[in-house]
Amino acid sequence: MTQPDEVIIESGKSGLHYWRDLWRYRELFYFLAWRDILIRYKQTTIGITWAIIRPLLSILVFTLIFGKLARLSSSGIPYSALVLVGMIPWQFFAGSLNEASLSLANKENIISKIYFPRIIVPISGVVVNLVELGVGLVMLLGFLLWQRTGIEATLAFLPLFLVLAFLLTLGCSIWIAALCVQFKDFRQVVSFALQLGLYISPIAYGTAVIPEDWRAYYFLNPISGIVEGMRWAVFPDHISLPLGGVITSLGITLCLLLSGIAYFRKIEKRLAELL
């Protein structure tokens, strides 16, 4: 009979095996992610259809306000398509950050009773939102087929921007999960920041409406380079690749991810008492 693995916790040595433990506890990671997916969609009346209704309503509102009333430029592409491409990474980003703000508090019973790498909790929350990201991409493909828009070779770069969006979301989620434990009122900050971020990010409009002298500063918002990069991948004949903005997004994303992991590891030992 195979003997179960033993976990020996020694002072000052837990960090040596931390990343190996992530692999050892992968089944717990799968369980947490799958459980959260079931809770989110199984206990609702229309289930995963919410993942379709929410972006459609947002597209409708933004198209009416910014496209019809404000008459903002859409760079020659259908305004609804401009918004749809922006909503795909934004809803994934915003949903994951909302999930992260409560992730550790919702798992307090597990955290206080058993050992496992606590960083699994915010990571699993990000993975849960991949479902809605996938639904958004299916909607985009359906829109392109419906509009009979030609699929360009640049579409092959779309996964690269999606990976960048995932890494940015992961870094921010780890930061927020740790900060919401250490500072209880930080959850309200997250909610306000996401509401503000929807309008200061190029979701309902393109960066073409931003004065050229301001664009370098505008791309300090890392989601901006990701969104505009995705629009270029889908509509290269109408949107130019903002190479500088993409490089800025990549640099900020890596900084947020690495610093977020470092900060989380710093307070991880005190999570049980902080909760």
Side-chain angles (χ1 to χ4, degrees):
M1 182 181 295
T2 304
Q3 295 297 321
D5 293 336
E6 294 184 0
V7 177
I8 302 175
I9 303 176
E10 300 180 63
S11 177
K13 294 187 178 182
S14 59
L16 298 176
H17 307 291
Y18 187 80
W19 301 109
R20 188 175 65 183
D21 286 347
L22 281 178
W23 175 252
R24 293 177 58 195
Y25 283 87
R26 63 189 181 277
E27 292 183 2
L28 176 62
F29 170 78
Y30 300 147
F31 170 79
L32 292 176
W34 182 244
R35 173 179 171 271
D36 288 344
I37 291 173
L38 291 179
I39 291 174
R40 175 176 295 188
Y41 297 113
K42 191 175 181 179
Q43 296 181 359
T44 59
T45 304
I46 58 177
I48 200 171
T49 310
W50 276 117
I52 301 175
I53 293 176
R54 287 195 301 171
L56 285 179
L57 290 177
S58 298
I59 291 168
L60 176 62
V61 171
F62 286 145
T63 300
L64 289 175
I65 295 176
F66 293 100
K68 300 298 183 181
L69 298 180
R71 298 181 182 276
L72 294 182
S73 172
S74 62
S75 300
I77 63 177
Y79 204 89
S80 55
L82 182 85
V83 177
L84 175 58
V85 177
M87 289 301 300
I88 290 173
W90 175 258
Q91 288 210 325
F92 171 65
F93 179 77
S96 298
L97 266 58
N98 274 321
E99 189 90 17
S101 66
L102 294 169
S103 60
L104 293 172
N106 289 341
K107 303 295 189 301
E108 180 180 359
N109 290 336
I110 300 176
I111 291 173
S112 60
K113 291 179 180 178
I114 63 173
Y115 165 78
F116 65 93
R118 292 357 185 185
I119 203 170
I120 285 177
V121 176
I123 294 176
S124 67
V126 174
V127 171
V128 168
N129 285 278
L130 286 174
V131 174
E132 294 193 11
L133 180 66
V135 171
L137 292 174
V138 171
M139 290 175 58
L140 177 61
L141 178 61
F143 182 90
L144 295 177
L145 294 175
W146 177 52
Q147 292 288 329
R148 297 181 180 179
T149 303
I151 297 178
E152 304 289 344
T154 53
L155 197 65
F157 291 94
L158 186 63
L160 297 180
F161 293 109
L162 293 174
V163 170
L164 185 55
F166 177 82
L167 294 178
L168 173 63
T169 303
L170 187 60
C172 291
S173 296
I174 292 172
W175 261 111
I176 287 173
L179 288 170
C180 285
V181 170
Q182 193 162 16
F183 307 102
K184 303 300 183 183
D185 55 350
F186 196 78
R187 294 166 190 165
Q188 282 68 40
V189 176
V190 173
S191 178
F192 173 75
L194 288 176
Q195 292 177 14
L196 181 63
L198 179 61
Y199 295 100
I200 65 174
S201 302
I203 310 303
Y205 53 87
T207 54
V209 304
I210 306 297
E212 193 168 347
D213 294 341
W214 288 89
R215 288 181 194 173
Y217 301 102
Y218 189 76
F219 280 117
L220 291 176
N221 175 3
I223 199 73
S224 299
I226 294 171
V227 170
E228 285 299 286
M230 289 179 61
R231 285 171 176 159
W232 166 78
V234 180
F235 303 108
D237 294 335
H238 303 278
I239 305 291
S240 299
L241 175 65
L243 185 58
V246 173
I247 293 174
T248 300
S249 295
L250 176 60
I252 294 176
T253 294
L254 293 178
C255 288
L256 286 171
L257 181 59
L258 296 176
S259 62
I261 292 172
Y263 181 71
F264 191 96
R265 293 284 290 120
K266 182 179 179 180
I267 73 163
E268 188 172 10
K269 298 175 183 178
R270 300 188 295 121
L271 277 182
E273 62 182 79
L274 289 172
L275 289 170

